[in-house]
Each structure stands twice: as structure tokens, then as C-alpha cells.
Amino acid sequence: MYDVVLLTLGSERDASGAGCGSGEACCGGDVAATKDRDDRCETPRVPVLACADALTAGGARVEAVTARSDAEIDDVLARLDGPARPDGLTWPDPDSKIRLVVAVAGDAQLRAVLRRLVRRYAPPPSRRPADLAGNRTVPDLPPIGVLPLDPARSTTHRDLAAQLGLPRDPAAVAAAVLDGTPRRLDLLRNDGGSVTLDGALLGAASEDGRPLHWRGRVEVDDAVLSDGDDPLLACVIGNAGGYARLDDVTLLADPDPSDGLVEVAVAVPVVTRSRLGRRRVRLEVRRARGRAASVLPRDEAALPYLDDGVQGELTRKRSWWTEPGAWAVWTS
């Protein structure tokens, strides 16, 4: 039977760049956290306890770990290492008897763990091994069990677990981890050193939430969606469908996190006039699919974005590329 590590991150957010996955403390982003905050971090959530009970009932040996820093995440991931290789690279063990379940309050926390997995197992370009697939920069990452901490998920935004049809009930998650099969999924890496599981939405908004125009060059492989002169309302870099729609506008036509491609869309306001001369504005959506995409902002102001729910600002060119089938989830 398996040893299962049930990993919880000590903060329910990674939206500001603080928290697990950014080098800060996971619980509130403050290394010198108060005792009350530490107590909250160490108190397991009900779904975590229920999943641990179900795993134990299934015969697994379960250890619950709360990580409050990147280093503590890395300590857990090190248990997934394979035997020493002649080339000295750290590689995941494809026959590991240890299985990992990550309890997540949102996609940002899952992304934080995947970012650390990539950092651990991606070889430097100068030491690329012969057994690494030609279309990848990372080996097959170990499958992860995903335990959503909000089983009801009453909000309108569909997180990645909902999009993939993964179980949300703790007992069903435990069953998938012990008796299910891994489902391999694409991973987006970017030249900023991070990863994207679902997608990124780039664009600015006014205080009342109205999209604001911005300019940038957007490319997908050899296709140019915007040369930098068009006013853009939004750009989506999509691996899955979390950002497929903007209000009532469909941006991504058919996002598929397992097709080896990234789908990119830009929304461009186009002014037309009726026969009576009345000015009308419609949104033109331009789309393309490929292996890689890039966005180069043309405005002086920083370009805000959301990447798997994590807020940031883009001030220089950013490129994304697809790692087909690089990561996996346990599914029933």
C-alpha cells in the first residue's frame, strides 16, 4: 500500500505574489507571523481531516503536512525523487510508492506546488539529458491528487478541478489517489520563471470594472494577432477554460489542457457606422493556436494581469510555451 502525504499550504491566497510559491511565508506572507496566525495555519480544515480518514481506511499510511514556505514545500517534494542518476540530475521516481495530495483553496495554491516541482526537476539547458522528450524541458512530473477545500464551489468561476471534472468530495479524492489513474495534462512555462495551469488574462480595468484600452504586440508561433497598434481590451493565454469568457464575450473557442497547444485570443474594439451615420462599437475576437505565445506591451504604464488567479503587472515582453503532458492529476 502507499504512503500518502497530504499537503496543505498555510495561506489561502497567492494572489499578491506573497505566500507559498514566492519565497515568503505561506501564512499571510509574513515570516515573523503571530502565534494566532501560526495556530490557524496548524489547524487542519475539515476536508483535509475527512480525506486523511478515507485514505487511512483505504489502507494508506498518511502524513499531513502544512507548508509555510517554499523550502517546506520542497522538503515534501523531495520524497518523490527517484534513485541517483549517472548524470547527477534530480529526477522523479516513476515507480514511487509515495503519493501526494495537495489541499487547495484555489488554483493559485496548486500552481505554487507545480512551480516548485518544475524548479526541482527541470534540468538546466546545458545538461539536457538524452532521455528527455524533444518537445519538453521537464520530465513527466509526478501525479498529484487535488483536494479542493471548497467542495460546494458556489462561486461563478469554475476552478481547474471543476473544469477537469475532478472529484471534490474528500472520500472520492482519496479513492482516486489510491485506486485511480493519472491523467496527464499540458503545462505552460514562461520566461518569467513561473508556470500556468489554467490561463492568464491580460488587461486593465477602471475603478468601476470597465475594461480599458491598451496596446501590445501579441504573437502565437508565426501568427500575429496584434502588431501593437490596435487598441486591445483583453488578451487571454489559455491552457484550459477558466478565462474563456469576458462578461458575455467568448474569447477562447475550444481550450483543451491536453492537446499540446496554447490557445490565445485578443479582443479588439472595432468602430463601424450605420447607414444613418450612427457610430457603433463591436468587439472583434482574434484567435490562434500554437506551441508558444508572446505579449509585448507597447504602453508606458504596466499591464495588469491575472495568471491562475495570481495578480501581477507586465512591463516587458513575456513568452509562454507548452510542455505537453508534463504534469498529471489522479482521477477516478
Side-chain angles (χ1 to χ4, degrees):
M1 188 43 69
Y2 299 103
D3 291 327
V4 179
V5 181
L6 216 171
L7 174 64
T8 302
L9 304 193
S11 171
E12 293 189 5
R13 61 161 177 80
D14 190 20
S16 65
C20 282
S22 66
E24 301 290 342
C26 290
C27 194
D30 182 3
V31 178
T34 64
K35 182 181 184 300
D36 289 342
R37 185 182 297 156
D38 284 340
D39 291 342
R40 288 199 304 273
C41 283
E42 296 297 341
T43 303
R45 298 277 291 271
V46 171
V48 175
L49 297 174
C51 188
D53 289 344
L55 288 165
T56 300
R61 293 179 293 269
V62 182
E63 179 183 359
V65 177
T66 298
R68 292 186 296 273
S69 68
D70 285 348
E72 291 180 350
I73 296 176
D74 293 344
D75 287 343
V76 171
L77 301 183
R79 308 184 195 190
L80 305 175
D81 290 356
R85 291 169 52 104
D87 56 15
L89 294 174
T90 301
W91 219 246
D93 185 355
D95 300 316
S96 177
K97 298 302 180 184
I98 298 176
R99 297 198 168 177
L100 174 65
V101 179
V102 182
V104 297
D107 292 342
Q109 291 192 332
L110 184 59
R111 185 185 91 142
V113 175
L114 263 296
R115 186 166 58 231
R116 301 310 300 177
L117 274 172
V118 169
R119 179 177 287 268
R120 182 168 193 84
Y121 295 124
S126 61
R127 299 179 61 192
R128 181 182 178 89
D131 58 342
L132 183 61
N135 61 351
R136 292 259 292 274
T137 65
V138 294
D140 284 354
L141 299 176
I144 292 176
V146 180
L147 173 63
L149 291 176
D150 178 12
R153 200 59 190 179
S154 58
T155 62
T156 56
H157 178 77
R158 298 180 71 233
D159 62 10
L160 193 59
Q163 294 180 59
L164 297 174
L166 299 180
R168 306 190 77 89
D169 178 74
V173 172
V177 170
L178 295 180
D179 301 314
T181 56
R183 176 183 174 186
R184 300 219 67 86
L185 301 164
D186 302 336
L187 179 72
L188 294 182
R189 294 190 67 184
N190 67 58
D191 56 3
S194 191
V195 301
T196 301
L197 309 180
D198 186 348
L201 172 64
L202 299 93
S206 63
E207 292 184 357
D208 59 1
R210 292 183 299 106
L212 299 176
H213 294 177
W214 56 279
R215 298 178 189 275
R217 184 176 179 87
V218 181
E219 300 177 75
V220 184
D221 290 351
D222 295 329
V224 178
L225 295 183
S226 173
D227 61 7
D229 294 329
D230 300 307
L232 304 179
L233 288 184
C235 173
V236 174
I237 311 294
N239 189 42
Y243 299 108
R245 295 183 62 84
L246 180 64
D247 295 331
D248 59 347
V249 178
T250 299
L251 296 177
L252 302 179
D254 189 25
D256 183 348
S258 58
D259 64 357
L261 300 173
V262 57
E263 183 175 357
V264 182
V266 296
V268 184
V270 176
V271 178
T272 61
R273 293 191 179 274
S274 68
R275 292 181 179 179
L276 300 178
R278 293 177 180 173
R279 183 176 180 272
R280 295 177 179 175
V281 179
R282 65 176 178 84
L283 272 186
E284 176 182 285
V285 179
R286 305 171 186 168
R287 304 183 183 95
R289 299 165 68 84
R291 287 290 314 281
S294 66
V295 177
L296 173 62
R298 294 296 194 190
D299 299 330
E300 293 184 2
L303 176 62
Y305 67 82
L306 283 175
D307 191 337
D308 285 345
V310 180
Q311 297 178 358
E313 291 185 336
L314 200 61
T315 58
R316 55 187 297 181
K317 184 177 181 179
R318 174 64 50 81
S319 297
W320 292 259
W321 66 90
T322 306
E323 301 277 342
W327 73 293
V329 292
W330 288 109
T331 185
S332 53

